[in-house]
Amino acid sequence: ADLEGEERELAKQMFGGIEQVSFDARKYVVLSLGRGSGKTTMCAAYSVYTAVTFDISKCGPGDVPYVIVIAPDKATAQLSIRMAREMIRAQPSLERLIVSDTSEMIQLRRPDCRMVRIEAFAATRSGSAVRGRTIIGFLMDECAFFTSNGSEGGKDYAIDDREIFRALKPRLLPKGKGMLISTPWPVESLFSEMFADNW
């Protein structure tokens, strides 16, 4: 809606004629992108931006808000943490904010003296790993692959993106954003439904 001329026409074509998207529709972002498209880099950049700039004034004393990265396994989620750490280290003003970091987590003390964490989690049954946390943003990376192996080697879908999304959604602060990102995969999932509905 803020663009003019050729840029406006191009944006209307890209977004199917929609000129303005409400905040509620932007709360959850679904990105279906192929391998090597920069999904993990975007996740990492978004994590750092959210951790440093999100308004956490309503969080109580001692409540450390999280930007959560969930992937099918912890090693995949840690890719975003590694990239976020390198982005932070590339900027001296951000590097000074690091209080501690491991392969699974970065803890920052922001300029407002509040602590925040960017942390990696593996997808778990019903999203149990992320319960009890205040969330300012979450990234479900490669969420089309949130499935667990059944006892006979098949898929039993005990772990899926729908259950993890249900666990994250009520813990997400107002104005927080959730991102569901994956390489396309032909399986029924919340990710594929949300993508198809919005397409």
Side-chain angles (χ1 to χ4, degrees):
D2 298 331
L3 300 175
E4 296 178 1
E6 188 178 325
E7 284 185 341
R8 183 182 180 95
E9 292 309 310
L10 181 59
K12 282 171 71 175
Q13 186 177 359
M14 288 173 60
F15 293 100
I18 297 171
E19 293 190 24
Q20 190 152 356
V21 181
S22 71
F23 174 78
D24 288 343
R26 290 179 278 143
K27 186 167 184 78
Y28 303 108
V29 176
V30 180
L31 299 171
S32 182
L33 302 165
R35 188 183 183 291
S37 59
K39 293 185 300 295
T40 304
T41 304
M42 283 190 291
C43 285
Y46 173 73
S47 298
V48 173
Y49 172 78
T50 301
V52 175
T53 65
F54 193 87
D55 178 9
I56 58 173
S57 60
K58 297 199 178 184
C59 294
D63 184 6
V64 177
Y66 283 70
V67 176
I68 289 180
V69 179
I70 297 184
D73 55 68
K74 194 171 267 191
T76 303
Q78 288 171 335
L79 293 173
S80 290
I81 302 299
R82 229 178 9 250
M83 292 183 106
R85 185 181 300 110
E86 293 309 313
M87 289 176 186
I88 290 169
R89 286 189 176 144
Q91 298 296 322
S93 59
L94 292 176
E95 188 174 19
R96 287 191 293 270
L97 305 179
I98 296 176
V99 172
S100 63
D101 71 297
T102 67
S103 62
E104 300 173 6
M105 173 276 301
I106 304 168
Q107 186 156 306
L108 305 170
R109 183 177 302 277
R110 298 166 14 141
D112 61 7
C113 295
R114 296 295 304 265
M115 301 286 271
V116 293
R117 289 180 87 155
I118 305 169
E119 190 161 348
F121 294 89
T124 55
R125 185 184 296 260
S126 301
S128 59
V130 299
R131 295 185 185 278
R133 291 169 173 81
T134 299
I135 301 172
I136 57 177
F138 67 79
L139 308 158
M140 295 170 56
D141 196 6
E142 293 295 6
C143 59
F145 300 91
F146 283 9
T147 56
S148 60
N149 289 327
S151 58
E152 297 176 21
K155 299 292 186 185
D156 69 1
Y157 300 98
I159 298 172
D160 68 13
D161 61 344
R162 192 176 314 278
E163 291 299 315
I164 293 168
F165 183 79
R166 276 192 202 125
L168 292 165
K169 190 175 175 182
R171 291 161 179 79
L172 184 64
L173 290 179
K175 299 194 178 174
K177 188 177 295 295
M179 299 179 78
L180 290 78
I181 300 171
S182 190
T183 306
W185 189 248
V187 65
E188 282 187 36
S189 64
L190 175 66
F191 168 78
S192 62
E193 285 173 22
M194 289 175 79
F195 184 82
D197 288 349
N198 283 283
W199 184 261

